[in-house]
Amino acid sequence: MRFPVSLLASVLLAAPPAAPALDWAGLQPVGAAVAATRTARGVQFSCADGSAVTLTVLAPDLVRVRTLFAGQPAAPDHSWAVARTDWPAADWSLAETPAAFTLTTGELAVVVHRDPLLIEFRDAATGRVINRDERPMARDPKSGRVAAAKQFGFDEHFYGLGEKTAHLDRRRSRFVLWNSDTPGYTEGTDPIYQSIPFYLGWEDGRAYGLFYDNSHRTTFDFGYTGQEAAAYEAAGGVLDYYFFHGPALKKIIGRYTDLTGRMPLPPLWALGHQQSRYSYYPDKMVEQVAAQYRAHRLPLDVIHLDIHYMDAYRVFTWNQDRFPDPAGLAKKLSERGVKLITIVDPGVKYQPADPAAPGKNYPVYDEGLAQDYFLRRQDGSLYIGEVWPGKAVFVDYTKENARRWWGEKHRALIDRGIAGIWTDMNEPSDFVDKSGATQRDVVFDDLGAKSLYAQNRNTFALNMARATYEGLQRLQPDKRPFVITRAGYAGIQRYAITWIGDSNATFDQLALSVPMFASMGLSGQPFVGADTPGFIGRGSAELLVRAYQVAAFTPFCRNHTAVDVYDHEPWRFGVPYENMVRAALELRYRLLPFLYTTLEEAHRTGVPLFRPLLLEFQQDYTALNLDDQFMVGAALLAAPVVRDNERARDVYLPAGRWYDYWTGAALDATGDLRRVDAPLERMPLFVRGGSIVPSTIAMNHTGEKPWNPLRFDVWPDANGAATGSLYEDDGASPAYLQGAFRRTTLSLAAGRLTFGVEGDYRPPARNFEVFLHQAPAVREVLLDGRPLDTANWGRDAAGTLSVRLKDNGQPLVVEFR
């Protein structure tokens, strides 16, 4: 959200300066390792200078390194990011020589050189060095900053760090992690809204991961200021990192999300199209928006209410003039198949009781003050900032009781039919000082540690999202919470989905969004999206179409724009462009079975829906910095058009069998570029040979009708084989966590297509339609060994064989002869 022009100008002029080069002056290296003491899960090394370095084996492929430097105050061993602490015991051994100690697991050999103390990680099976220190870990005893440096490989490439305005490959780049409200950012603006201190390294086709769990202001330098190191520095706190062994990227992402948590499945309607602006009011305008969507036959599942629904921008209130009956509005929208989401900002209006105006108080402020839930400065005074309601106070979400109280406050919204919560301005933004400099003396309870703002700014949004998510769970235990956040820290995926903030409505921003989405997915955040076609500025009709062609494949698909910007609803630019947007949205809704199945994979494994090609083709050198194409799951390759007035583009196809999604033509690629037509009405889209893609009929909203028939498009590889699956559940409740789901697996081999069934969920009766592309001529089709009536199968002139079946909830075998 959301800046009036006057504020926006001042914010852009005050953009954060570029990150300085890492300065090693004043940093004192850790002392030599002189002794090793076994612990229950690893080894603690005592150092000559009094420092202590602890290695903890969490899994054969995951080792934690935590260093407490000499003279450094002891800090609680607690992390807001880490979700899992109950790791099963993993076998390990310790060997010692005069030069080094070696801790060995089933996958890793961690060598700790004595003097200087340098750590290197080797593949336990081959002895190959995966990663090693370039210099000893160090700390500045005056400032408290800590640093580490890893050797910089000649052909090493780096990915991750979440939401960054940069290319996919972070090599030769430098980044700062410090959650910042940065409307109108462009490529290179840094930092922005989120801080995810996790990255992946790739060299010679093999990968590793590093997660530096420190929430202070942090800098990463991937060979930007020197040839020697991929360096890390944090402004304070403990040097605490986790090393992940691959060599597969997907394996590392899976283990990272084991550690920091995985995305719970959102309700199915969250995959639907969503409409917003800053702001829709009064209630009649909201109804008009929904009515226009239905009149124009444009799919829509959600409308968002921005800050103008509140009374004087006070959270958990309603403006009675604009929204006299919010429950009635929610009911009317529900009858059209539309959900309602409201924004909730962290700033609580500072409104002390006025004895001269009894009854005019603000209960939310009064309650929070009485319970001491608001942040205070070191001198005990309230921290008072300024956001939309004017002077405002902020909740200390590190207090459990404060989180529960905040969650309960959402009753004012949920009881009126609100379906989800959009948390914004939660960096936290403060118009008085967006940098954080004047908030340095703000104290957080932090489980009794009484830590300062510098340690908690980056985790503020994480704990706010947690308070909101857990509150919705308690208020509606039979429904899946849906929470949106702008800011976040590692682990944010446990509680909220994310969009990339106040972006510009430009083609440059559209191009930038592709590596941003891909990087967030590599960093554990699978449910991402953007304001379509951009929040700031008037987008063109062509931009709107091209942006929707991308948004059709992002998990979060929302049209949103600023208060002073021309309307961006799909019908605003005329019928031809509206028709093209409708086509993109109808494609999305037809592919809902595939998208939901792929999203469940993200919930189960951590592997995202929106993927860089590198994630699927890790050995393909061309994929290392290819970030103007993306994969949707493992099956679809999209090549969006991100330049104005472009009607053709080069597309890179990795080696293998591919199909043009629009024509069905088979393409055998050798890892080459192809010039492909890209008319405005469609984006180049390809299907990977060997895939089976489920789909259904188009609909106006996700709940309009069941998925019937269910279509399975079978796209064989060069050997005539293909696999795929379909995941289903009730789409609304948490019952899937107890096994109330159905997974249908499909496999084509040697002319036999088998259907397997797993899970307790029983969908309504429906039909299956199978389309086998590039099928050979067949004489007959058998179902479970019996000939299928010719009325239920056929082959068209393009060579696509279609088969119609009844789903009986049991395994099936279809044979083609």
mmCIF file of all heavy atoms in Angstrom, residues 394-418:
data_model
loop_
_atom_site.group_PDB
_atom_site.id
_atom_site.type_symbol
_atom_site.label_atom_id
_atom_site.label_comp_id
_atom_site.label_asym_id
_atom_site.label_seq_id
_atom_site.Cartn_x
_atom_site.Cartn_y
_atom_site.Cartn_z
ATOM 1 N N PHE A 394 2.401 0.630 18.650
ATOM 2 C CA PHE A 394 2.592 -0.650 17.978
ATOM 3 C C PHE A 394 2.665 -1.766 19.013
ATOM 4 O O PHE A 394 3.288 -1.617 20.066
ATOM 5 C CB PHE A 394 3.873 -0.624 17.142
ATOM 6 C CG PHE A 394 3.862 0.424 16.063
ATOM 7 C CD1 PHE A 394 4.195 1.742 16.355
ATOM 8 C CD2 PHE A 394 3.497 0.099 14.771
ATOM 9 C CE1 PHE A 394 4.179 2.714 15.370
ATOM 10 C CE2 PHE A 394 3.473 1.062 13.774
ATOM 11 C CZ PHE A 394 3.819 2.382 14.077
ATOM 12 N N VAL A 395 2.042 -2.882 18.679
ATOM 13 C CA VAL A 395 1.971 -4.020 19.595
ATOM 14 C C VAL A 395 3.318 -4.734 19.653
ATOM 15 O O VAL A 395 4.008 -4.886 18.633
ATOM 16 C CB VAL A 395 0.862 -4.994 19.147
ATOM 17 C CG1 VAL A 395 0.872 -6.264 19.987
ATOM 18 C CG2 VAL A 395 -0.501 -4.314 19.206
ATOM 19 N N ASP A 396 3.675 -5.175 20.835
ATOM 20 C CA ASP A 396 4.861 -6.028 21.004
ATOM 21 C C ASP A 396 4.428 -7.474 20.789
ATOM 22 O O ASP A 396 3.992 -8.159 21.713
ATOM 23 C CB ASP A 396 5.457 -5.841 22.395
ATOM 24 C CG ASP A 396 6.734 -6.653 22.600
ATOM 25 O OD1 ASP A 396 7.082 -7.444 21.693
ATOM 26 O OD2 ASP A 396 7.363 -6.505 23.661
ATOM 27 N N TYR A 397 4.566 -7.939 19.555
ATOM 28 C CA TYR A 397 4.098 -9.283 19.203
ATOM 29 C C TYR A 397 5.008 -10.376 19.739
ATOM 30 O O TYR A 397 4.707 -11.561 19.554
ATOM 31 C CB TYR A 397 3.962 -9.410 17.688
ATOM 32 C CG TYR A 397 2.940 -8.489 17.081
ATOM 33 C CD1 TYR A 397 3.327 -7.404 16.296
ATOM 34 C CD2 TYR A 397 1.580 -8.701 17.291
ATOM 35 C CE1 TYR A 397 2.390 -6.557 15.732
ATOM 36 C CE2 TYR A 397 0.634 -7.846 16.738
ATOM 37 C CZ TYR A 397 1.047 -6.783 15.957
ATOM 38 O OH TYR A 397 0.111 -5.928 15.413
ATOM 39 N N THR A 398 6.117 -10.012 20.378
ATOM 40 C CA THR A 398 6.932 -11.052 21.009
ATOM 41 C C THR A 398 6.322 -11.514 22.326
ATOM 42 O O THR A 398 6.781 -12.502 22.903
ATOM 43 C CB THR A 398 8.363 -10.555 21.262
ATOM 44 O OG1 THR A 398 8.361 -9.524 22.253
ATOM 45 C CG2 THR A 398 9.008 -10.050 19.979
ATOM 46 N N LYS A 399 5.290 -10.810 22.813
ATOM 47 C CA LYS A 399 4.572 -11.226 24.020
ATOM 48 C C LYS A 399 3.432 -12.156 23.620
ATOM 49 O O LYS A 399 2.579 -11.794 22.805
ATOM 50 C CB LYS A 399 3.999 -10.019 24.759
ATOM 51 C CG LYS A 399 5.025 -9.078 25.357
ATOM 52 C CD LYS A 399 4.334 -7.938 26.100
ATOM 53 C CE LYS A 399 5.333 -7.044 26.814
ATOM 54 N NZ LYS A 399 4.661 -5.936 27.546
ATOM 55 N N GLU A 400 3.405 -13.332 24.184
ATOM 56 C CA GLU A 400 2.364 -14.296 23.818
ATOM 57 C C GLU A 400 0.977 -13.750 24.091
ATOM 58 O O GLU A 400 0.061 -13.894 23.271
ATOM 59 C CB GLU A 400 2.572 -15.616 24.558
ATOM 60 C CG GLU A 400 1.540 -16.676 24.182
ATOM 61 C CD GLU A 400 1.746 -17.992 24.885
ATOM 62 O OE1 GLU A 400 2.716 -18.105 25.666
ATOM 63 O OE2 GLU A 400 0.939 -18.912 24.656
ATOM 64 N N ASN A 401 0.776 -13.126 25.251
ATOM 65 C CA ASN A 401 -0.545 -12.597 25.575
ATOM 66 C C ASN A 401 -0.953 -11.493 24.615
ATOM 67 O O ASN A 401 -2.142 -11.361 24.289
ATOM 68 C CB ASN A 401 -0.575 -12.091 27.018
ATOM 69 C CG ASN A 401 -0.561 -13.221 28.024
ATOM 70 O OD1 ASN A 401 -0.857 -14.368 27.686
ATOM 71 N ND2 ASN A 401 -0.204 -12.922 29.264
ATOM 72 N N ALA A 402 0.021 -10.697 24.176
ATOM 73 C CA ALA A 402 -0.284 -9.646 23.214
ATOM 74 C C ALA A 402 -0.688 -10.258 21.875
ATOM 75 O O ALA A 402 -1.605 -9.759 21.211
ATOM 76 C CB ALA A 402 0.919 -8.730 23.045
ATOM 77 N N ARG A 403 -0.033 -11.327 21.465
ATOM 78 C CA ARG A 403 -0.421 -11.995 20.216
ATOM 79 C C ARG A 403 -1.829 -12.548 20.317
ATOM 80 O O ARG A 403 -2.627 -12.424 19.377
ATOM 81 C CB ARG A 403 0.562 -13.122 19.878
ATOM 82 C CG ARG A 403 1.954 -12.654 19.476
ATOM 83 C CD ARG A 403 2.735 -13.757 18.762
ATOM 84 N NE ARG A 403 2.877 -14.973 19.539
ATOM 85 C CZ ARG A 403 3.852 -15.214 20.401
ATOM 86 N NH1 ARG A 403 4.771 -14.276 20.639
ATOM 87 N NH2 ARG A 403 3.929 -16.360 21.047
ATOM 88 N N ARG A 404 -2.145 -13.167 21.432
ATOM 89 C CA ARG A 404 -3.494 -13.715 21.596
ATOM 90 C C ARG A 404 -4.535 -12.602 21.587
ATOM 91 O O ARG A 404 -5.613 -12.750 21.002
ATOM 92 C CB ARG A 404 -3.593 -14.528 22.889
ATOM 93 C CG ARG A 404 -2.775 -15.814 22.888
ATOM 94 C CD ARG A 404 -3.052 -16.638 24.143
ATOM 95 N NE ARG A 404 -4.422 -17.134 24.167
ATOM 96 C CZ ARG A 404 -4.834 -18.269 23.609
ATOM 97 N NH1 ARG A 404 -3.973 -19.049 22.974
ATOM 98 N NH2 ARG A 404 -6.094 -18.650 23.690
ATOM 99 N N TRP A 405 -4.228 -11.510 22.249
ATOM 100 C CA TRP A 405 -5.156 -10.371 22.270
ATOM 101 C C TRP A 405 -5.366 -9.829 20.861
ATOM 102 O O TRP A 405 -6.498 -9.581 20.441
ATOM 103 C CB TRP A 405 -4.596 -9.291 23.205
ATOM 104 C CG TRP A 405 -5.312 -7.981 23.148
ATOM 105 C CD1 TRP A 405 -6.517 -7.679 23.722
ATOM 106 C CD2 TRP A 405 -4.872 -6.785 22.492
ATOM 107 N NE1 TRP A 405 -6.842 -6.372 23.469
ATOM 108 C CE2 TRP A 405 -5.852 -5.800 22.712
ATOM 109 C CE3 TRP A 405 -3.736 -6.457 21.758
ATOM 110 C CZ2 TRP A 405 -5.728 -4.500 22.198
ATOM 111 C CZ3 TRP A 405 -3.615 -5.169 21.243
ATOM 112 C CH2 TRP A 405 -4.598 -4.214 21.467
ATOM 113 N N TRP A 406 -4.280 -9.653 20.120
ATOM 114 C CA TRP A 406 -4.379 -9.147 18.757
ATOM 115 C C TRP A 406 -5.197 -10.109 17.886
ATOM 116 O O TRP A 406 -6.053 -9.681 17.103
ATOM 117 C CB TRP A 406 -2.988 -8.971 18.169
ATOM 118 C CG TRP A 406 -2.966 -8.376 16.798
ATOM 119 C CD1 TRP A 406 -2.850 -9.054 15.624
ATOM 120 C CD2 TRP A 406 -3.064 -6.988 16.454
ATOM 121 N NE1 TRP A 406 -2.852 -8.176 14.564
ATOM 122 C CE2 TRP A 406 -2.989 -6.905 15.048
ATOM 123 C CE3 TRP A 406 -3.195 -5.816 17.197
ATOM 124 C CZ2 TRP A 406 -3.044 -5.683 14.370
ATOM 125 C CZ3 TRP A 406 -3.247 -4.597 16.523
ATOM 126 C CH2 TRP A 406 -3.175 -4.541 15.128
ATOM 127 N N GLY A 407 -4.952 -11.380 18.031
ATOM 128 C CA GLY A 407 -5.733 -12.345 17.264
ATOM 129 C C GLY A 407 -7.207 -12.276 17.578
ATOM 130 O O GLY A 407 -8.064 -12.327 16.673
ATOM 131 N N GLU A 408 -7.548 -12.114 18.850
ATOM 132 C CA GLU A 408 -8.950 -12.032 19.260
ATOM 133 C C GLU A 408 -9.613 -10.788 18.686
ATOM 134 O O GLU A 408 -10.819 -10.803 18.397
ATOM 135 C CB GLU A 408 -9.042 -12.026 20.791
ATOM 136 C CG GLU A 408 -10.427 -11.789 21.357
ATOM 137 C CD GLU A 408 -11.447 -12.852 20.962
ATOM 138 O OE1 GLU A 408 -11.037 -14.006 20.717
ATOM 139 O OE2 GLU A 408 -12.647 -12.515 20.902
ATOM 140 N N LYS A 409 -8.871 -9.700 18.494
ATOM 141 C CA LYS A 409 -9.447 -8.456 17.974
ATOM 142 C C LYS A 409 -10.034 -8.651 16.576
ATOM 143 O O LYS A 409 -10.903 -7.866 16.161
ATOM 144 C CB LYS A 409 -8.386 -7.357 17.928
ATOM 145 C CG LYS A 409 -7.934 -6.824 19.280
ATOM 146 C CD LYS A 409 -9.013 -6.006 19.992
ATOM 147 C CE LYS A 409 -9.740 -6.787 21.045
ATOM 148 N NZ LYS A 409 -10.841 -6.058 21.678
ATOM 149 N N HIS A 410 -9.578 -9.665 15.856
ATOM 150 C CA HIS A 410 -10.102 -9.897 14.512
ATOM 151 C C HIS A 410 -11.548 -10.368 14.521
ATOM 152 O O HIS A 410 -12.172 -10.461 13.458
ATOM 153 C CB HIS A 410 -9.213 -10.902 13.764
ATOM 154 C CG HIS A 410 -7.878 -10.324 13.392
ATOM 155 N ND1 HIS A 410 -6.829 -10.247 14.277
ATOM 156 C CD2 HIS A 410 -7.425 -9.781 12.229
ATOM 157 C CE1 HIS A 410 -5.787 -9.688 13.683
ATOM 158 N NE2 HIS A 410 -6.113 -9.401 12.441
ATOM 159 N N ARG A 411 -12.078 -10.639 15.686
ATOM 160 C CA ARG A 411 -13.503 -10.993 15.773
ATOM 161 C C ARG A 411 -14.373 -9.890 15.188
ATOM 162 O O ARG A 411 -15.433 -10.156 14.599
ATOM 163 C CB ARG A 411 -13.881 -11.260 17.230
ATOM 164 C CG ARG A 411 -15.281 -11.822 17.406
ATOM 165 C CD ARG A 411 -15.611 -12.070 18.878
ATOM 166 N NE ARG A 411 -14.745 -13.059 19.474
ATOM 167 C CZ ARG A 411 -14.934 -14.372 19.353
ATOM 168 N NH1 ARG A 411 -15.950 -14.831 18.641
ATOM 169 N NH2 ARG A 411 -14.103 -15.211 19.927
ATOM 170 N N ALA A 412 -13.937 -8.620 15.333
ATOM 171 C CA ALA A 412 -14.697 -7.492 14.789
ATOM 172 C C ALA A 412 -14.822 -7.573 13.270
ATOM 173 O O ALA A 412 -15.708 -6.944 12.682
ATOM 174 C CB ALA A 412 -14.029 -6.177 15.189
ATOM 175 N N LEU A 413 -13.968 -8.336 12.640
ATOM 176 C CA LEU A 413 -14.005 -8.513 11.193
ATOM 177 C C LEU A 413 -14.606 -9.858 10.817
ATOM 178 O O LEU A 413 -15.493 -9.939 9.961
ATOM 179 C CB LEU A 413 -12.582 -8.386 10.632
ATOM 180 C CG LEU A 413 -11.834 -7.095 11.010
ATOM 181 C CD1 LEU A 413 -10.384 -7.165 10.564
ATOM 182 C CD2 LEU A 413 -12.525 -5.876 10.417
ATOM 183 N N ILE A 414 -14.134 -10.910 11.460
ATOM 184 C CA ILE A 414 -14.578 -12.264 11.116
ATOM 185 C C ILE A 414 -16.075 -12.434 11.377
ATOM 186 O O ILE A 414 -16.790 -13.051 10.571
ATOM 187 C CB ILE A 414 -13.765 -13.302 11.911
ATOM 188 C CG1 ILE A 414 -12.283 -13.211 11.554
ATOM 189 C CG2 ILE A 414 -14.289 -14.709 11.667
ATOM 190 C CD1 ILE A 414 -11.972 -13.372 10.083
ATOM 191 N N ASP A 415 -16.566 -11.886 12.471
ATOM 192 C CA ASP A 415 -17.989 -12.019 12.789
ATOM 193 C C ASP A 415 -18.873 -11.279 11.797
ATOM 194 O O ASP A 415 -20.092 -11.480 11.787
ATOM 195 C CB ASP A 415 -18.282 -11.521 14.205
ATOM 196 C CG ASP A 415 -17.811 -12.502 15.273
ATOM 197 O OD1 ASP A 415 -17.338 -13.593 14.903
ATOM 198 O OD2 ASP A 415 -17.916 -12.173 16.473
ATOM 199 N N ARG A 416 -18.284 -10.440 10.979
ATOM 200 C CA ARG A 416 -19.044 -9.706 9.958
ATOM 201 C C ARG A 416 -18.813 -10.282 8.567
ATOM 202 O O ARG A 416 -19.094 -9.628 7.566
ATOM 203 C CB ARG A 416 -18.692 -8.226 10.029
ATOM 204 C CG ARG A 416 -19.282 -7.550 11.269
ATOM 205 C CD ARG A 416 -18.619 -6.225 11.598
ATOM 206 N NE ARG A 416 -19.263 -5.601 12.755
ATOM 207 C CZ ARG A 416 -19.010 -5.932 14.021
ATOM 208 N NH1 ARG A 416 -18.153 -6.904 14.299
ATOM 209 N NH2 ARG A 416 -19.630 -5.304 15.007
ATOM 210 N N GLY A 417 -18.278 -11.479 8.522
ATOM 211 C CA GLY A 417 -18.178 -12.186 7.248
ATOM 212 C C GLY A 417 -16.888 -12.002 6.494
ATOM 213 O O GLY A 417 -16.783 -12.456 5.344
ATOM 214 N N ILE A 418 -15.898 -11.383 7.118
ATOM 215 C CA ILE A 418 -14.617 -11.206 6.434
ATOM 216 C C ILE A 418 -13.921 -12.556 6.339
ATOM 217 O O ILE A 418 -13.808 -13.289 7.318
ATOM 218 C CB ILE A 418 -13.751 -10.171 7.180
ATOM 219 C CG1 ILE A 418 -14.464 -8.825 7.203
ATOM 220 C CG2 ILE A 418 -12.381 -10.067 6.549
ATOM 221 C CD1 ILE A 418 -14.873 -8.305 5.832
#
